[in-house]
Coordinates of all heavy atoms in Angstrom, one line a residue:
T1 N 101.4 94.6 94.9 CA 101.7 93.2 95.1 C 100.4 92.3 95.3 O 100.3 91.2 94.8 CB 102.6 92.9 96.2 OG1 103.9 93.6 96.0 CG2 102.9 91.5 96.5
I2 N 99.4 92.9 96.1 CA 98.2 92.1 96.3 C 97.1 92.5 95.4 O 95.9 92.1 95.6 CB 97.8 92.3 97.8 CG1 97.5 93.8 98.1 CG2 98.8 91.8 98.8 CD1 96.9 94.1 99.5
G3 N 97.4 93.3 94.4 CA 96.4 93.6 93.4 C 95.4 94.7 93.7 O 94.3 94.7 93.2
V4 N 95.7 95.5 94.7 CA 94.8 96.6 95.2 C 95.0 97.8 94.3 O 96.1 98.2 94.0 CB 95.0 96.9 96.6 CG1 94.3 98.2 97.0 CG2 94.5 95.8 97.5
D5 N 93.9 98.4 93.9 CA 93.9 99.6 93.1 C 94.2 100.8 94.0 O 93.3 101.2 94.9 CB 92.6 99.8 92.4 CG 92.6 101.0 91.5 OD1 93.6 101.8 91.5 OD2 91.6 101.2 90.7
S6 N 95.3 101.5 93.9 CA 95.7 102.6 94.8 C 94.9 103.9 94.5 O 95.2 104.9 95.2 CB 97.2 102.8 94.8 OG 97.6 103.1 93.5
S7 N 94.0 103.8 93.5 CA 93.2 105.0 93.3 C 91.8 104.9 94.0 O 91.0 105.8 93.9 CB 92.9 105.2 91.8 OG 92.1 104.1 91.3
A8 N 91.6 103.8 94.8 CA 90.4 103.6 95.5 C 90.2 104.6 96.6 O 91.2 105.0 97.2 CB 90.3 102.2 96.0
H9 N 89.0 105.0 96.9 CA 88.7 105.9 98.0 C 88.0 105.1 99.1 O 87.0 104.4 98.9 CB 87.8 107.0 97.5 CG 87.6 108.1 98.6 ND1 88.5 109.1 98.8 CD2 86.6 108.3 99.5 CE1 88.1 109.9 99.7 NE2 86.9 109.4 100.2
L10 N 88.6 105.2 100.3 CA 88.1 104.3 101.4 C 87.2 105.2 102.4 O 87.4 106.4 102.6 CB 89.2 103.7 102.2 CG 90.1 102.8 101.4 CD1 91.4 102.5 102.2 CD2 89.4 101.5 101.0
T11 N 86.3 104.5 103.0 CA 85.5 105.1 104.1 C 86.4 105.6 105.2 O 87.2 104.8 105.7 CB 84.5 104.1 104.7 OG1 83.7 103.5 103.6 CG2 83.6 104.7 105.7
P12 N 86.3 106.9 105.6 CA 87.2 107.4 106.6 C 87.1 106.8 108.0 O 88.1 106.4 108.6 CB 86.9 108.9 106.6 CG 86.3 109.2 105.3 CD 85.5 107.9 105.0
L13 N 85.9 106.7 108.5 CA 85.7 106.1 109.9 C 85.0 104.8 109.8 O 83.9 104.6 109.3 CB 84.8 107.1 110.7 CG 84.6 106.7 112.2 CD1 85.9 106.6 112.9 CD2 83.6 107.6 112.9
I14 N 85.7 103.8 110.4 CA 85.3 102.4 110.2 C 85.1 101.7 111.6 O 86.0 101.7 112.4 CB 86.3 101.6 109.4 CG1 86.4 102.2 108.0 CG2 86.0 100.1 109.3 CD1 87.6 101.7 107.2
R15 N 83.9 101.1 111.8 CA 83.7 100.4 113.0 C 83.3 98.9 112.5 O 82.2 98.7 112.2 CB 82.5 101.0 113.8 CG 82.9 102.4 114.4 CD 81.9 103.0 115.3 NE 82.4 104.2 115.9 CZ 81.9 105.4 115.8 NH1 80.9 105.6 115.0 NH2 82.5 106.4 116.4
D16 N 84.3 98.1 112.5 CA 84.2 96.8 111.9 C 85.0 95.8 112.7 O 86.3 95.8 112.7 CB 84.7 96.8 110.5 CG 84.6 95.5 109.7 OD1 84.6 94.4 110.4 OD2 84.5 95.5 108.5
P17 N 84.4 95.0 113.6 CA 85.2 94.1 114.5 C 86.1 93.2 113.7 O 87.2 92.9 114.2 CB 84.0 93.3 115.1 CG 82.9 94.2 115.1 CD 82.9 94.9 113.8
E18 N 85.7 92.7 112.5 CA 86.6 91.8 111.8 C 87.8 92.5 111.3 O 89.0 92.0 111.4 CB 85.9 91.3 110.5 CG 86.7 90.3 109.7 CD 86.0 89.8 108.4 OE1 85.1 90.5 108.0 OE2 86.4 88.8 107.9
L19 N 87.7 93.8 110.9 CA 88.8 94.5 110.5 C 89.7 95.0 111.6 O 91.0 95.0 111.5 CB 88.4 95.8 109.7 CG 89.4 96.4 108.7 CD1 89.8 95.4 107.7 CD2 88.8 97.7 108.1
S20 N 89.1 95.3 112.8 CA 89.9 95.6 114.0 C 90.7 94.4 114.4 O 91.9 94.6 114.8 CB 88.9 96.0 115.1 OG 88.3 97.2 114.8
K21 N 90.2 93.2 114.4 CA 90.9 92.0 114.7 C 92.1 91.8 113.7 O 93.2 91.5 114.2 CB 90.0 90.8 114.7 CG 90.7 89.5 115.1 CD 89.7 88.4 115.1 CE 90.4 87.1 115.5 NZ 89.5 85.9 115.4
A22 N 91.8 92.1 112.5 CA 92.9 91.9 111.5 C 94.0 92.9 111.7 O 95.2 92.6 111.5 CB 92.3 92.1 110.1
F23 N 93.7 94.1 112.1 CA 94.7 95.1 112.4 C 95.6 94.7 113.6 O 96.8 94.7 113.5 CB 94.0 96.5 112.7 CG 94.9 97.7 112.7 CD1 94.7 98.7 111.8 CD2 96.0 97.8 113.6 CE1 95.6 99.8 111.8 CE2 96.8 98.9 113.6 CZ 96.6 99.9 112.7
L24 N 94.9 94.2 114.6 CA 95.7 93.8 115.8 C 96.5 92.5 115.5 O 97.5 92.3 116.2 CB 94.7 93.5 117.0 CG 94.0 94.8 117.5 CD1 93.0 94.4 118.6 CD2 95.0 95.8 118.0
N25 N 96.0 91.7 114.6 CA 96.8 90.5 114.2 C 98.2 90.9 113.6 O 99.2 90.2 113.7 CB 96.1 89.7 113.2 CG 95.0 88.8 113.8 OD1 95.0 88.7 115.1 ND2 94.0 88.4 113.0
I26 N 98.2 92.1 113.0 CA 99.5 92.6 112.4 C 100.5 92.9 113.6 O 101.6 92.5 113.6 CB 99.3 93.9 111.6 CG1 98.4 93.6 110.4 CG2 100.6 94.5 111.2 CD1 97.9 94.9 109.7
L27 N 100.0 93.5 114.7 CA 100.8 93.7 115.8 C 101.3 92.4 116.4 O 102.5 92.3 116.7 CB 100.0 94.5 116.9 CG 100.6 94.7 118.3 CD1 101.9 95.5 118.1 CD2 99.6 95.4 119.2
T28 N 100.5 91.4 116.5 CA 100.9 90.1 117.0 C 102.0 89.5 116.1 O 103.0 88.9 116.6 CB 99.7 89.2 117.1 OG1 98.7 89.7 118.0 CG2 100.1 87.8 117.6
A29 N 101.8 89.6 114.8 CA 102.8 89.0 113.9 C 104.1 89.7 114.0 O 105.2 89.0 113.8 CB 102.2 89.2 112.5

């Protein structure tokens, strides 16, 4: 739906404050 390629390979361990905040925003929502 959002146009993401599901064949992409992601970095396994991520330390990213912006992404951590976005994750917690899901909980808030």
Side-chain angles (χ1 to χ4, degrees):
T1 298
I2 62 176
V4 166
D5 183 355
S6 59
S7 69
H9 187 84
L10 299 170
T11 304
L13 182 60
I14 298 166
R15 294 185 170 119
D16 181 334
E18 182 183 21
L19 201 62
S20 295
K21 181 179 179 181
F23 195 117
L24 294 177
N25 284 343
I26 300 172
L27 174 59
T28 301

